[in-house]
Coordinates of all heavy atoms in Angstrom, one line a residue:
R1 N 8.7 0.5 -2.0 CA 10.0 0.9 -1.4 C 9.8 1.7 -0.1 O 10.6 1.7 0.8 CB 10.9 1.6 -2.4 CG 11.4 0.7 -3.4 CD 12.9 1.1 -3.8 NE 13.5 0.2 -4.7 CZ 14.3 -0.7 -4.3 NH1 14.6 -0.9 -3.1 NH2 14.9 -1.5 -5.2
D2 N 8.7 2.5 -0.1 CA 8.4 3.3 1.1 C 8.0 2.5 2.3 O 8.0 3.0 3.4 CB 7.3 4.3 0.8 CG 7.8 5.3 -0.3 OD1 9.0 5.5 -0.5 OD2 6.9 6.0 -0.9
L3 N 7.6 1.2 2.0 CA 7.1 0.4 3.1 C 8.2 -0.4 3.8 O 7.9 -1.0 4.9 CB 6.0 -0.6 2.6 CG 4.8 0.1 1.9 CD1 3.9 -1.0 1.3 CD2 4.0 0.9 2.9
I4 N 9.4 -0.5 3.3 CA 10.4 -1.3 3.9 C 11.4 -0.4 4.6 O 11.5 0.8 4.4 CB 11.2 -2.1 2.8 CG1 11.9 -1.2 1.8 CG2 10.3 -3.1 2.1 CD1 12.9 -1.9 0.9
D5 N 12.1 -1.0 5.6 CA 13.0 -0.2 6.4 C 14.4 -0.1 5.6 O 15.1 -1.1 5.5 CB 13.2 -0.9 7.8 CG 14.1 -0.2 8.7 OD1 14.6 0.9 8.3 OD2 14.3 -0.7 9.8
A6 N 14.7 1.1 5.2 CA 15.9 1.2 4.4 C 17.2 1.1 5.2 O 18.3 1.0 4.6 CB 15.8 2.6 3.7
H7 N 17.1 1.1 6.5 CA 18.3 1.1 7.4 C 18.7 -0.4 7.6 O 19.8 -0.6 8.2 CB 18.0 1.7 8.7 CG 17.6 3.2 8.5 ND1 18.5 4.1 8.1 CD2 16.4 3.8 8.7 CE1 17.9 5.3 8.0 NE2 16.6 5.1 8.4
K8 N 17.9 -1.3 7.1 CA 18.3 -2.8 7.3 C 18.8 -3.3 6.0 O 18.4 -2.9 4.9 CB 17.1 -3.6 7.8 CG 16.7 -3.3 9.2 CD 15.6 -4.2 9.6 CE 15.1 -4.0 11.0 NZ 14.1 -4.9 11.4
T9 N 19.7 -4.3 6.1 CA 20.1 -5.0 4.9 C 19.1 -6.0 4.4 O 18.2 -6.3 5.2 CB 21.5 -5.7 5.1 OG1 21.2 -6.8 6.1 CG2 22.6 -4.8 5.6
D10 N 19.2 -6.5 3.2 CA 18.3 -7.5 2.8 C 18.3 -8.8 3.7 O 17.3 -9.3 4.0 CB 18.6 -8.0 1.3 CG 18.3 -6.9 0.3 OD1 17.5 -6.0 0.6 OD2 18.9 -7.0 -0.8
L11 N 19.5 -9.1 4.1 CA 19.7 -10.3 5.0 C 19.0 -10.1 6.3 O 18.3 -11.0 6.8 CB 21.2 -10.6 5.3 CG 21.5 -11.8 6.2 CD1 20.9 -13.1 5.5 CD2 23.0 -11.9 6.4
E12 N 19.1 -8.9 6.9 CA 18.4 -8.6 8.1 C 16.9 -8.6 8.0 O 16.1 -9.1 8.8 CB 18.8 -7.2 8.7 CG 20.2 -7.1 9.2 CD 20.7 -5.7 9.5 OE1 20.3 -4.8 8.8 OE2 21.5 -5.6 10.4
R13 N 16.4 -8.0 6.9 CA 14.9 -8.1 6.6 C 14.4 -9.5 6.4 O 13.4 -9.9 6.9 CB 14.6 -7.2 5.4 CG 14.7 -5.7 5.7 CD 14.0 -4.9 4.6 NE 14.7 -5.0 3.4 CZ 15.7 -4.1 3.0 NH1 16.1 -3.2 3.7 NH2 16.2 -4.3 1.8
L14 N 15.2 -10.3 5.7 CA 14.8 -11.7 5.4 C 14.8 -12.5 6.7 O 13.9 -13.3 7.0 CB 15.7 -12.3 4.4 CG 15.4 -13.7 3.9 CD1 14.0 -13.7 3.2 CD2 16.4 -14.1 2.8
S15 N 15.8 -12.3 7.5 CA 15.9 -12.9 8.8 C 14.7 -12.6 9.7 O 14.1 -13.4 10.3 CB 17.2 -12.5 9.5 OG 17.3 -13.1 10.8
S16 N 14.4 -11.3 9.7 CA 13.2 -10.9 10.5 C 11.9 -11.5 10.0 O 11.1 -11.9 10.8 CB 13.1 -9.3 10.4 OG 11.9 -8.9 11.0
D17 N 11.8 -11.6 8.7 CA 10.6 -12.3 8.1 C 10.5 -13.7 8.6 O 9.4 -14.2 9.0 CB 10.6 -12.3 6.6 CG 10.4 -10.9 6.0 OD1 10.0 -10.0 6.7 OD2 10.7 -10.7 4.8
W18 N 11.6 -14.5 8.5 CA 11.6 -15.9 8.9 C 11.4 -16.0 10.4 O 10.7 -16.9 10.9 CB 12.9 -16.6 8.5 CG 12.9 -17.0 7.1 CD1 13.6 -16.5 6.1 CD2 12.0 -18.0 6.5 NE1 13.2 -17.1 4.9 CE2 12.3 -18.1 5.1 CE3 11.0 -18.8 7.0 CZ2 11.6 -18.9 4.3 CZ3 10.4 -19.7 6.2 CH2 10.6 -19.7 4.8
E19 N 11.9 -15.1 11.2 CA 11.6 -15.1 12.6 C 10.1 -14.9 12.9 O 9.5 -15.7 13.7 CB 12.4 -14.0 13.3 CG 12.3 -14.0 14.8 CD 13.1 -12.9 15.5 OE1 14.1 -12.4 14.9 OE2 12.8 -12.6 16.7
Q20 N 9.5 -14.0 12.2 CA 8.1 -13.8 12.4 C 7.3 -15.0 11.9 O 6.3 -15.4 12.5 CB 7.6 -12.6 11.6 CG 6.2 -12.2 11.8 CD 5.9 -11.9 13.3 OE1 6.7 -11.2 13.9 NE2 4.9 -12.4 13.9
I21 N 7.7 -15.7 10.8 CA 7.0 -16.9 10.3 C 7.1 -18.0 11.4 O 6.2 -18.7 11.7 CB 7.7 -17.4 9.0 CG1 7.3 -16.4 7.9 CG2 7.2 -18.8 8.7 CD1 8.0 -16.6 6.6
G22 N 8.3 -18.1 12.0 CA 8.5 -19.1 13.1 C 7.5 -18.9 14.3 O 6.9 -19.8 14.8
K23 N 7.4 -17.6 14.6 CA 6.5 -17.2 15.7 C 5.0 -17.6 15.4 O 4.3 -18.1 16.2 CB 6.6 -15.8 16.1 CG 7.9 -15.4 16.8 CD 8.0 -13.9 17.0 CE 9.4 -13.6 17.7 NZ 9.5 -12.1 17.9
D24 N 4.7 -17.2 14.1 CA 3.3 -17.5 13.7 C 3.0 -19.0 13.7 O 2.0 -19.5 14.1 CB 3.1 -17.0 12.2 CG 3.0 -15.5 12.2 OD1 2.9 -14.8 13.3 OD2 3.2 -14.9 11.1
M25 N 4.0 -19.8 13.3 CA 3.9 -21.3 13.2 C 3.7 -21.8 14.7 O 2.9 -22.7 14.9 CB 5.0 -21.9 12.5 CG 4.9 -21.7 11.0 SD 6.3 -22.4 10.1 CE 5.8 -24.1 10.2
D26 N 4.6 -21.3 15.6 CA 4.5 -21.7 17.0 C 3.1 -21.4 17.5 O 2.5 -22.3 18.2 CB 5.5 -21.0 17.9 CG 6.9 -21.5 17.7 OD1 7.1 -22.6 17.2 OD2 7.8 -20.8 18.1
R27 N 2.5 -20.2 17.3 CA 1.2 -19.9 17.7 C 0.1 -20.8 17.1 O -0.8 -21.3 17.7 CB 0.8 -18.5 17.4 CG 1.5 -17.5 18.4 CD 0.9 -16.1 18.3 NE 1.1 -15.5 17.0 CZ 2.1 -14.8 16.6 NH1 3.1 -14.6 17.5 NH2 2.2 -14.3 15.4
A28 N 0.3 -21.1 15.8 CA -0.7 -22.0 15.1 C -0.6 -23.4 15.7 O -1.7 -24.0 15.9 CB -0.4 -22.1 13.6
V29 N 0.6 -24.0 16.0 CA 0.7 -25.3 16.6 C 0.1 -25.3 18.0 O -0.6 -26.2 18.3 CB 2.2 -25.8 16.6 CG1 2.3 -27.0 17.4 CG2 2.6 -26.0 15.2
E30 N 0.3 -24.3 18.8 CA -0.2 -24.2 20.1 C -1.7 -24.1 20.1 O -2.4 -24.8 20.8 CB 0.3 -22.9 20.8 CG -0.1 -22.8 22.2 CD 0.3 -23.9 23.1 OE1 1.4 -24.5 22.9 OE2 -0.4 -24.3 24.1
R31 N -2.3 -23.3 19.1 CA -3.7 -23.2 19.0 C -4.3 -24.6 18.6 O -5.4 -25.0 19.1 CB -4.1 -22.2 18.0 CG -5.6 -22.0 17.9 CD -6.0 -20.9 16.9 NE -5.6 -19.6 17.5 CZ -5.6 -18.5 16.8 NH1 -5.9 -18.5 15.5 NH2 -5.3 -17.4 17.4
Y32 N -3.6 -25.3 17.6 CA -4.1 -26.6 17.2 C -4.1 -27.6 18.4 O -5.1 -28.3 18.6 CB -3.2 -27.1 16.1 CG -3.6 -28.5 15.7 CD1 -4.5 -28.7 14.7 CD2 -2.9 -29.6 16.2 CE1 -4.9 -30.0 14.3 CE2 -3.3 -30.9 15.8 CZ -4.3 -31.1 14.9 OH -4.6 -32.3 14.5
D33 N -3.0 -27.6 19.1 CA -2.9 -28.5 20.3 C -4.1 -28.2 21.3 O -4.7 -29.1 21.8 CB -1.6 -28.3 21.0 CG -0.4 -28.9 20.3 OD1 -0.7 -29.7 19.3 OD2 0.7 -28.7 20.6
Q34 N -4.3 -26.9 21.6 CA -5.4 -26.6 22.5 C -6.8 -26.9 22.0 O -7.6 -27.2 22.8 CB -5.3 -25.1 22.9 CG -4.1 -24.7 23.7 CD -4.0 -23.2 23.9 OE1 -4.7 -22.4 23.3 NE2 -3.0 -22.8 24.6
T35 N -6.9 -26.9 20.7 CA -8.2 -27.1 20.1 C -8.5 -28.6 19.9 O -9.6 -29.1 20.2 CB -8.4 -26.4 18.8 OG1 -8.1 -25.0 19.0 CG2 -9.8 -26.6 18.2
F36 N -7.5 -29.4 19.4 CA -7.8 -30.7 18.9 C -7.2 -31.8 19.7 O -7.6 -33.0 19.6 CB -7.3 -30.9 17.4 CG -8.1 -30.0 16.5 CD1 -7.5 -28.8 16.0 CD2 -9.4 -30.2 16.2 CE1 -8.2 -28.0 15.1 CE2 -10.1 -29.4 15.3 CZ -9.5 -28.3 14.8
I37 N -6.2 -31.5 20.5 CA -5.5 -32.6 21.3 C -6.2 -32.7 22.7 O -6.4 -31.7 23.4 CB -4.0 -32.3 21.5 CG1 -3.3 -32.0 20.2 CG2 -3.4 -33.4 22.4 CD1 -3.3 -33.2 19.3
K38 N -6.6 -33.9 23.1 CA -7.3 -34.0 24.3 C -6.4 -33.7 25.5 O -5.2 -33.9 25.4 CB -7.8 -35.5 24.5 CG -8.9 -35.9 23.5 CD -9.3 -37.3 23.7 CE -10.3 -37.7 22.6 NZ -10.7 -39.1 22.7
P39 N -6.9 -33.1 26.5 CA -6.1 -32.7 27.7 C -5.3 -33.8 28.3 O -4.1 -33.6 28.6 CB -7.1 -32.1 28.7 CG -8.3 -31.7 27.9 CD -8.3 -32.7 26.7
S40 N -5.8 -35.0 28.3 CA -5.1 -36.1 28.9 C -3.9 -36.5 28.0 O -2.8 -36.8 28.5 CB -6.0 -37.3 29.1 OG -6.5 -37.8 27.9
A41 N -4.0 -36.4 26.7 CA -2.9 -36.7 25.8 C -1.9 -35.6 25.9 O -0.7 -35.9 25.9 CB -3.4 -36.8 24.4
R42 N -2.3 -34.4 26.1 CA -1.3 -33.3 26.2 C -0.5 -33.4 27.5 O 0.6 -33.2 27.5 CB -2.1 -32.0 26.2 CG -1.3 -30.8 25.9 CD -2.0 -29.5 25.8 NE -3.2 -29.6 25.1 CZ -4.4 -29.0 25.4 NH1 -4.5 -28.4 26.5 NH2 -5.5 -29.2 24.7
Q43 N -1.2 -33.9 28.5 CA -0.5 -34.1 29.8 C 0.5 -35.2 29.7 O 1.6 -35.0 30.2 CB -1.6 -34.4 30.9 CG -1.2 -34.0 32.2 CD -2.5 -34.1 33.2 OE1 -3.3 -34.9 32.9 NE2 -2.5 -33.4 34.2
R44 N 0.2 -36.3 29.0 CA 1.1 -37.4 28.9 C 2.4 -36.9 28.1 O 3.5 -37.3 28.4 CB 0.5 -38.5 28.2 CG -0.4 -39.3 29.1 CD -0.8 -40.7 28.5 NE -1.4 -40.6 27.1 CZ -2.7 -40.5 26.8 NH1 -3.5 -40.4 27.8 NH2 -3.1 -40.4 25.6
V45 N 2.2 -36.1 27.0 CA 3.3 -35.6 26.2 C 4.2 -34.7 27.1 O 5.4 -34.7 27.0 CB 2.7 -34.8 25.0 CG1 3.9 -34.1 24.3 CG2 2.1 -35.8 24.0
A46 N 3.5 -33.8 27.9 CA 4.3 -32.9 28.7 C 5.1 -33.6 29.8 O 6.2 -33.2 30.2 CB 3.4 -31.9 29.4
E47 N 4.6 -34.8 30.3 CA 5.3 -35.6 31.3 C 6.5 -36.3 30.7 O 7.4 -36.7 31.4 CB 4.4 -36.5 32.0 CG 3.3 -35.8 32.8 CD 2.2 -36.7 33.3 OE1 2.2 -37.9 33.0 OE2 1.3 -36.3 34.1

C-alpha cells in the first residue's frame, strides 16, 4: 500500500498501467522491426 499513489483512483491507476503497457509494446514492436525486418521491406511498408 505504501508503493501506490493514494491520490489516484483505481481507474486512474489501471488506466496508467495500460498506457505504460501500450508504450512498452510499441517499443518492442519497433525494436523487432529494426532487428528482424529487412530495410527494403520496411521502406516498402512506409511508402
